[in-house]
C-alpha cells in the first residue's frame, strides 16, 4: 500500500470513519493474525487477541505520530494485547530458572524443510511462558531486558525460559525429522 | 552451541516472522460491533453531560434571576423605609423643638410619660419586609379636646387615622397610623398610573412646602403641624403607591398568564437510531437530521397545558458504518500464505448490496442503473477512495401529530417546563440511498407500516422576550412504541434524541 494512501486511511480512522477502519483491517488483519498466532495456543485464542488488538488500534490510532512503520506500531499493539491477556490469565509463573542446555551438536536446522504450519504448531505447543519468551525474542526481536519488563520476570528467567523453549523445540524438530525419515524409509 | 541456537532461531523466524493467516469474518463483525457500541456510548455521554451542563446553567440562571429580583425589591423598600424614617425623624425633631420652646418642663415630662400613645406607622409588605416608621409625638391627654379636628384618611389607600390639633393649639394629637396600614395585597387599592404620578408630584410639592414653613409663635402648632401630619400621611401614601406600582406590575403578569392560546414554531436537530432485534438484519449507526413544525398550546391552568400540531421528522440509519454492505471480504491467501502473496497494493472487496436492513427487506428501484445483479452476489472491485466517504443510508420521513401534556415548573422571565405524550407518525418517505453514487436512491424498505405511534418526553426552557413572545430550547427524547415494519421478522423501533429550538407567541 502506498504511503500517502495509508496516511489518508489512518487520518480517516482517526476521524472514526467506518469505511477506513474496515480497509485498514482488511489490509493488515492477516499479518496481525500471524503475529497473534505465535503468542497463542490455538487459532481461536489468536483471533480473540486479534479482535481485542484491533479495537485498541482504532481507539488509540490518534496517538500514532506518522513516524516509523505503522505496521510495526500495530504489531506492537497486538503483541502487547497478547501479553496483557497472558498476564490477566495469570499464566506467568515467576520462577527463576537457570538451565544449562546440553549441546547436541551443530546441525543446520535452517536448511530443513519443515512446513510453516508444523513450525507454528510446535511453537503453540510450548508451555505458555516459554512460548511468550521465544516469540518475543526470536520472532519479534525483543531483548531480554525488555522481555523481563513486559513479562514481569527477571532477565535471568527470561534467558532461562528461552533456553528451555529452544530445547523443547529442538527436541520436537528432531522427533519430527526422525518420524519423517522413517516414513520415507517405509515408502 | 551458540551456532546451534542461531540455526534453531532462524528455522522458526524465517517461517513464522511473516506469517499471514486470513481471519474468520466474524472477527471483523466483533470489532465493528464493539466500535459502534463505543460510538453510541460516547454520544450518550455527550448528551448526558450536555444535559447536566444545561441543567446547572438553568438553575444558576433561575437562581440569579429570582434572587436578584427579590433583592432589588427589598432594596427598593428599604430605601423607601430609610428615606421615610429619616424624613419623619427630621420633621418630628423639628416639631419637638417647637414644643420644647413653647411648653414648660412639666408639660414636657407628661408628654414623655405618655410615650405609650406614641404614634407609629407600620408599613408592612409582608412578614419579612416590614417597615416601621415610628414616631413619638407627645401630647397631653388631658388637653385632648373633642373639638380637635380629625382627619381620616383611611379611604381606599390606607386605614390611616389622624388627629390634629385644633386651631387654638391647645391640644396635640399626633397622627395614629394603623399598624395594618399596608398588610397584604388584598388590602391594596389599585391606583392607575396617572393617579399615582399625580399624587406623587403633589406629594413632593407638599413636602417641599413643609420644610419652608416658619415656626408659629404660639405654643401649639396649628396649620404647620397639620401639614406635618399630612406629610406623614403622604409618606405612607408614597409607600402605598410603590406597593401599588408593584401590584400593577403583578396584575400585568397575571394578565399575561391568562393567555390561554399560543402557537409554537420549532426546528429540531436530532440524532436517530433504533432498538430492536431483527432477524438477520444488518445493523447500522444512527444519523443526524433536522426537522420542524408548528404546535398549538392551550393552557388549562397556570401550570398545565396541552399541545398538538404537526411536525416533520427524518430518521434512519447509516448502513455504511459497518460491514453490512459487504457480505464477503477477500484476502490474498487463505492460510499460511507467504508475505509476498499477501501484500497487495489494491484491496479487492467482494461487495453486494444487502438484501435487507434491520428495518426490513430492501426493494431495489427498477429504474436504478446500479448493479442490480449485485443483489444476487455479483462481485465488484473497489479500492479505497477517501472522498466517497460512506455508502448506504436508509432513511424515513414522517409527519408527526403529537398530543402532549406540558407542566410548567417555573414561570418567570426564564421559564422551565416538562412535557410528554404520544404521537401518531405517518411515514411519508422511505428510501435507501447510496452515498458513493451521490446519494442516489437505490430502493426502499418493504413492508413499512404507514401509521406508527411513539412516545416522547422533553424538558424545556423558555425565555420571555415580552408579554407575547418567548423563545425556547427543548431537549427531547422520542421512542417508537411499535415496530415500523409489519413483518414480525423485523423488530425495528426507531428512537431519536434531539433539541428543539423555537419561538412561541401568546394570544
Amino acid at each position: 500500500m502506498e504511503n500517502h494512501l495509508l496516511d489518508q486511511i489512518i487520518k480517516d480512522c482517526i476521524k472514526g470513519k467506518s469505511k477506513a477502519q474496515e480497509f485498514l483491517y482488511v489490509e493488515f488483519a492477516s499479518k496481525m493474525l500471524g503475529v497473534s498466532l505465535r503468542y497463542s495456543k490455538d487459532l481461536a485464542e489468536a483471533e480473540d487477541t486479534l479482535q481485542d488488538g484491533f479495537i485498541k488500534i482504532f481507539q488509540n490510532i490518534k496517538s500514532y505520530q506518522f513516524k516509523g512503520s505503522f505496521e510495526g506500531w500495530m504489531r506492537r499493539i497486538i503483541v502487547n494485547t497478547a501479553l496483557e491477556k497472558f498476564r490477566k490469565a495469570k499464566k506467568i509463573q515467576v520462577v527463576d530458572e537457570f538451565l544449562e542446555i546440553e549441546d547436541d551438536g551443530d546441525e543446520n536446522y535452517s536448511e530443513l524443510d519443515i512446513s510453516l504450519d508444523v513450525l507454528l504448531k510446535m511453537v503453540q505447543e510450548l508451555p505458555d511462558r516459554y512460548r511468550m519468551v521465544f516469540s518475543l525474542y526470536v520472532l519479534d526481536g525483543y531483548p531480554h531486558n525488555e522481555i523481563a519488563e513486559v513479562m514481569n520476570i527477571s532477565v535471568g528467567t527470561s534467558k532461562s525460559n528461552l533456553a528451555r523453549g529452544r530445547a523443547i523445540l529442538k527436541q520436537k524438530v528432531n522427533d519430527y525429522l526422525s518420524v519423517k525419515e522413517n516414513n520415507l524409509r517405509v515408502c | 552451541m551458540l551456532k546451534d541456537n542461531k540455526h534453531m532461531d532462524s528455522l522458526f523466524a524465517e517461517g513464522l516472522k511473516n506469517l499471514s493467516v486470513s481471519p474468520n469474518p466474524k472477527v471483523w463483525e466483533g470489532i465493528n460491533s464493539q466500535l459502534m457500541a463505543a460510538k453510541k456510548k460516547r454520544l450518550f455521554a455527550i448528551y448526558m453531560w450536555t444535559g447536566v451542563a444545561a441543567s446547572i446553567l438553568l438553575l444558576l440562571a433561575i437562581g440569579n434571576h429570582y434572587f436578584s429580583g427579590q433583592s432589588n425589591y427589598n432594596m427598593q423598600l428599604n430605601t423607601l423605609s430609610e428615606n421615610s424614617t429619616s424624613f419623619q425623624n427630621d420633621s418630628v425633631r423639628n416639631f419637638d423643638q417647637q414644643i420644647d420652646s413653647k411648653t414648660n418642663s412639666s408639660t414636657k415630662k407628661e408628654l414623655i410619660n405618655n410615650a405609650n400613645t406614641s404614634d407609629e406607622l407600620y408599613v408592612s409588605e409582608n412578614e419579612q419586609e416590614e417597615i416601621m416608621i415610628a414616631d413619638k409625638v407627645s401630647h397631653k391627654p388631658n388637653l385632648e379636646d373633642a373639638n380637635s379636628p380629625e382627619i381620616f384618611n383611611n379611604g381606599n389607600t390606607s386605614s390611616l387615622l389622624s388627629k390634629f390639633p385644633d386651631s387654638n393649639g391647645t391640644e396635640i394629637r399626633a397622627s395614629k397610623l394603623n399598624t395594618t396600614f399596608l398588610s397584604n395585597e388584598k388590602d391594596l387599592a389599585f391606583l392607575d398610573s396617572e393617579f399615582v404620578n399625580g399624587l406623587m408630584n403633589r406629594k413632593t410639592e407638599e413636602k417641599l412646602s413643609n420644610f419652608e414653613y416658619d415656626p408659629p409663635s404660639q405654643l401649639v402648632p396649628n396649620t404647620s403641624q397639620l401639614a406635618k401630619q399630612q406629610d406623614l400621611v403622604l409618606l405612607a401614601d408614597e409607600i402605598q403607591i410603590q406597593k401599588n406600582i408593584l401590584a400593577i406590575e403583578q396584575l400585568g403578569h397575571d394578565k399575561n398568564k391568562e393567555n390561554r392560546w399560543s402557537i409554537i414554531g420549532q426546528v429540531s436537530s436530532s440524532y436517530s437510531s433504533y432498538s430492536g432485534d431483527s432477524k438477520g438484519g444488518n445493523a447500522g449507526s444512527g444519523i443526524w437530521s433536522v426537522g420542524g413544525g408548528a404546535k398549538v398550546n392551550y393552557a388549562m391552568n397556570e401550570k398545565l397545558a396541552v399541545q398538538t400540531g404537526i411536525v416533520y421528522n427524518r430518521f434512519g440509519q447509516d448502513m455504511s458504518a459497518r460491514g453490512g454492505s459487504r457480505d464477503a471480504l477477500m484476502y490474498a491467501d487463505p492460510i499460511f500464505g507467504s508475505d509476498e502473496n499477501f501484500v497487495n497494493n489494491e484491496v479487492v472487496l467482494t461487495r453486494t448490496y444487502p438484501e435487507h436492513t434491520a428495518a426490513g427487506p430492501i426493494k431495489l428501484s427498477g429504474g436504478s442503473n446500479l448493479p442490480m445483479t449485485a443483489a444476487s452476489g455479483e462481485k465488484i472491485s473497489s479500492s479505497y477512495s477517501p472522498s466517497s466517504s460512506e455508502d448506504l443510508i436508509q432513511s424515513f420521513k414522517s409527519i408527526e401529530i403529537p398530543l402532549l401534556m406540558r407542566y410548567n415548573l417555573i414561570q418567570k422571565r426564564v421559564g422551565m417546563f416538562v412535557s410528554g405524550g404520544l404521537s401518531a407518525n405517518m411515514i411519508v418517505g422511505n428510501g435507501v440511498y447510496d452515498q458513493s453514487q451521490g446519494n442516489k436512491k437505490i430502493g426502499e424498505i418493504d413492508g413499512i407500516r404507514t401509521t406508527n405511534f411513539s412516545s416522547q418526553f422533553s424538558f424545556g426552557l423558555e425565555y420571555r422576550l415580552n408579554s407575547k413572545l418567548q423563545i425556547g430550547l427543548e431537549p427531547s427524547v422520542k421512542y417508537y412504541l411499535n415496530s415500523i415494519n409489519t413483518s414480525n421478522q423485523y423488530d425495528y423501533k426507531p428512537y431519536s434524541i434531539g433539541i428543539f429550538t423555537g419561538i412561541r407567541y401568546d394570544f
Side-chain angles (χ1 to χ4, degrees):
Chain A
M1 185 182 287
E2 294 174 23
N3 283 338
H4 72 274
L5 180 58
L6 179 61
D7 286 354
Q8 183 60 53
I9 291 175
I10 294 168
K11 284 172 186 170
D12 286 351
C13 286
I14 291 171
K15 291 175 187 170
K17 288 190 176 179
S18 303
K19 194 171 182 178
Q21 289 174 336
E22 189 176 354
F23 267 86
L24 196 73
Y25 175 81
V26 170
E27 181 68 22
F28 291 102
S30 297
K31 277 188 179 180
M32 295 306 122
L33 182 58
V35 173
S36 66
L37 275 169
R38 304 192 302 248
Y39 291 87
S40 311
K41 64 177 183 293
D42 53 31
L43 180 64
E45 188 180 306
E47 286 185 336
D48 199 34
T49 301
L50 181 72
Q51 181 170 323
D52 292 348
F54 260 98
I55 288 166
K56 280 186 182 174
I57 286 166
F58 291 132
Q59 287 176 342
N60 297 287
I61 198 166
K62 56 182 174 292
S63 66
Y64 176 65
Q65 302 291 325
F66 294 92
K67 291 174 187 171
S69 162
F70 179 70
E71 187 181 320
W73 182 81
M74 292 179 79
R75 188 184 288 261
R76 211 169 177 84
I77 289 182
I78 297 291
V79 171
N80 285 339
T81 307
L83 288 169
E84 196 176 293
K85 290 169 80 75
F86 196 67
R87 283 193 294 264
K88 277 183 184 172
K90 296 179 181 175
K91 289 178 178 175
I92 296 176
Q93 298 165 6
V94 183
V95 179
D96 289 334
E97 296 179 34
F98 299 94
L99 189 69
E100 289 299 325
I101 305 298
E102 292 178 12
D103 189 356
D104 288 342
D106 186 6
E107 291 186 55
N108 193 351
Y109 290 101
S110 61
E111 292 177 2
L112 295 174
D113 182 24
I114 304 176
S115 66
L116 286 177
D117 54 342
V118 172
L119 289 175
L120 178 64
K121 195 176 178 188
M122 288 177 181
V123 173
Q124 288 183 329
E125 284 175 353
L126 283 173
D128 292 335
R129 55 193 169 133
Y130 299 160
R131 183 177 66 246
M132 300 303 283
V133 175
F134 182 82
S135 293
L136 285 167
Y137 186 85
V138 176
L139 305 177
D140 285 306
Y142 281 60
H144 278 298
N145 59 346
E146 207 169 323
I147 293 170
E149 191 179 332
V150 297
M151 289 189 67
N152 198 23
I153 56 177
S154 68
V155 172
T157 302
S158 174
K159 287 179 178 175
S160 173
N161 285 347
L162 176 64
R164 180 64 70 91
R166 270 186 186 138
I168 293 171
L169 286 174
K170 189 184 290 181
Q171 186 62 48
K172 283 178 180 289
V173 169
N174 288 334
D175 291 348
Y176 175 79
L177 289 174
S178 61
V179 170
K180 194 176 179 183
E181 195 175 339
N182 288 337
N183 289 341
L184 285 171
R185 282 178 189 169
V186 169
C187 292
Chain B
M1 172 73 190
L2 191 63
K3 197 177 176 185
D4 184 31
N5 287 343
K6 281 188 176 175
H7 287 156
M8 272 296 301
D9 290 355
S10 61
L11 170 68
F12 285 91
E14 283 175 10
L16 300 180
K17 250 186 178 178
N18 296 314
L19 182 65
S20 181
V21 180
S22 178
N24 190 316
K26 284 183 179 176
V27 175
W28 171 246
E29 286 175 17
I31 292 168
N32 192 50
S33 64
Q34 286 199 42
L35 291 173
M36 295 314 299
K39 271 185 186 175
K40 283 185 179 177
K41 198 175 174 183
R42 202 160 50 240
L43 275 173
F44 178 77
I46 289 169
Y47 270 108
M48 193 184 74
W49 285 112
T50 307
V52 169
S55 302
I56 291 169
L57 283 174
L58 174 73
L59 288 173
L60 287 174
I62 290 167
N64 183 48
H65 178 76
Y66 180 77
F67 288 113
S68 65
Q70 193 80 356
S71 62
N72 285 342
Y73 180 62
N74 288 340
M75 199 185 302
Q76 281 181 352
L77 286 177
N78 288 338
T79 308
L80 182 61
S81 168
E82 286 165 11
N83 292 341
S84 303
T85 308
S86 61
F87 177 72
Q88 178 99 355
N89 288 341
D90 288 343
S91 59
V92 169
R93 201 175 300 117
N94 291 337
F95 188 48
D96 281 347
Q97 284 169 0
Q98 291 169 30
I99 294 170
D100 286 343
S101 64
K102 304 284 168 52
T103 56
N104 57 32
S105 59
S106 63
T107 310
K108 178 78 175 178
K109 204 176 282 181
E110 284 184 37
L111 291 173
I112 292 167
N113 289 338
N114 284 287
N116 59 346
T117 61
S118 300
D119 302 320
E120 293 176 343
L121 169 63
Y122 289 98
V123 178
S124 99
E125 160 60 22
N126 53 39
E127 288 181 2
Q128 288 79 31
E129 298 169 356
E130 186 169 292
I131 301 168
M132 185 179 77
I133 301 173
D135 188 25
K136 295 180 176 60
V137 181
S138 303
H139 60 275
K140 292 171 75 175
N142 59 339
L143 294 178
E144 283 182 9
D145 193 341
N147 294 328
S148 299
E150 292 182 349
I151 298 173
F152 291 90
N153 190 8
N154 62 349
N156 282 331
T157 57
S158 74
S159 57
L160 183 66
L161 173 62
S162 303
K163 272 196 173 182
F164 296 96
D166 64 5
S167 58
N168 294 327
T170 55
E171 291 182 4
I172 302 169
R173 173 149 186 177
S175 60
K176 175 110 179 169
L177 301 178
N178 197 309
T179 56
T180 58
F181 170 55
L182 290 172
S183 58
N184 56 45
E185 295 188 7
K186 287 180 182 175
D187 296 331
L188 286 174
F190 295 108
L191 307 177
D192 63 45
S193 58
E194 284 184 14
F195 176 77
V196 169
N197 292 334
L199 188 62
M200 289 187 79
N201 291 338
R202 183 160 54 85
K203 186 157 49 67
T204 308
E205 289 168 7
E206 286 172 0
K207 272 185 192 174
L208 291 171
S209 67
N210 284 341
F211 282 116
E212 290 168 358
Y213 81 96
D214 293 324
S217 56
Q218 294 180 346
L219 175 64
V220 178
N222 43 34
T223 55
S224 62
Q225 287 159 358
L226 177 62
K228 274 287 185 198
Q229 300 307 317
Q230 284 176 332
D231 193 57
L232 292 174
V233 172
L234 289 169
L235 279 169
D237 281 347
E238 184 178 355
I239 296 161
Q240 173 82 50
I241 288 159
Q242 290 289 337
K243 178 67 185 171
N244 284 350
I245 289 169
L246 291 171
I248 288 164
E249 287 176 357
Q250 185 61 40
L251 186 65
H253 288 154
D254 290 342
K255 280 182 179 174
N256 288 335
K257 287 175 188 171
E258 288 172 6
N259 294 330
R260 287 188 172 273
W261 289 96
S262 23
I263 54 169
I264 303 166
Q266 288 181 321
V267 290
S268 70
S269 172
S270 60
Y271 172 81
S272 67
S273 190
Y274 73 97
S275 68
D277 181 25
S278 297
K279 293 174 185 172
N282 290 317
S285 66
I287 60 169
W288 285 94
S289 62
V290 293
K295 290 178 189 166
V296 178
N297 184 84
Y298 176 75
M300 299 164 75
N301 55 43
E302 281 187 6
K303 294 284 185 187
L304 211 56
V306 288
Q307 289 183 343
T308 187
I310 186 161
V311 181
Y312 168 81
N313 287 312
R314 182 170 164 261
F315 60 91
Q317 60 174 323
D318 185 350
M319 298 295 299
S320 59
R322 64 172 312 285
S325 59
R326 297 169 182 88
D327 287 340
L329 302 171
M330 267 186 71
Y331 294 86
D333 48 318
I335 189 164
F336 299 146
S338 68
D339 187 44
E340 290 73 22
N341 288 336
F342 171 76
V343 176
N344 297 312
N345 287 332
E346 286 192 2
V347 178
V348 179
L349 300 173
T350 299
R351 187 174 71 170
T352 61
Y353 285 114
E355 292 179 359
H356 48 81
T357 74
I362 298 176
K363 190 169 72 179
L364 290 170
S365 309
S368 171
N369 60 2
L370 283 164
M372 289 294 291
T373 50
S376 60
E378 183 188 85
K379 292 177 181 177
I380 56 172
S381 292
S382 170
S383 59
Y384 183 72
S385 170
S387 59
S388 66
S389 66
E390 311 295 358
D391 285 334
L392 293 186
I393 283 192
Q394 163 209 300
S395 81
F396 300 102
K397 294 164 186 170
S398 76
I399 298 292
E400 174 188 0
I401 299 175
L403 181 62
L404 306 170
M405 294 294 288
R406 172 180 147 143
Y407 184 79
N408 293 319
L409 300 170
I410 294 174
Q411 276 181 302
K412 303 278 185 183
R413 182 168 286 277
V414 177
M416 189 166 71
F417 63 88
V418 290
S419 77
L422 296 172
S423 300
N425 299 270
M426 263 67 76
I427 307 288
V428 294
N430 168 12
V432 179
Y433 303 88
D434 188 346
Q435 289 196 327
S436 65
Q437 302 239 351
N439 243 352
K440 192 176 181 69
K441 184 175 179 179
I442 63 162
E444 62 180 36
I445 305 298
D446 205 15
I448 293 299
R449 201 189 307 272
T450 307
T451 305
N452 303 279
F453 294 95
S454 65
S455 62
Q456 76 172 71
F457 178 79
S458 60
F459 170 81
L461 302 173
E462 279 184 336
Y463 182 79
R464 183 182 290 280
L465 296 172
N466 58 41
S467 62
K468 295 287 185 189
L469 280 178
Q470 296 182 62
I471 53 172
L473 190 70
E474 192 176 346
S476 174
V477 179
K478 178 180 167 186
Y479 182 74
Y480 273 68
L481 298 171
N482 60 284
S483 170
I484 67 169
N485 199 306
T486 50
S487 166
N488 57 11
Q489 281 194 326
Y490 298 95
D491 182 22
Y492 187 88
K493 294 176 182 171
Y495 67 84
S496 63
I497 305 166
I499 295 182
F500 285 81
T501 54
I503 189 161
R504 170 176 158 167
Y505 181 82
D506 295 333
F507 290 105

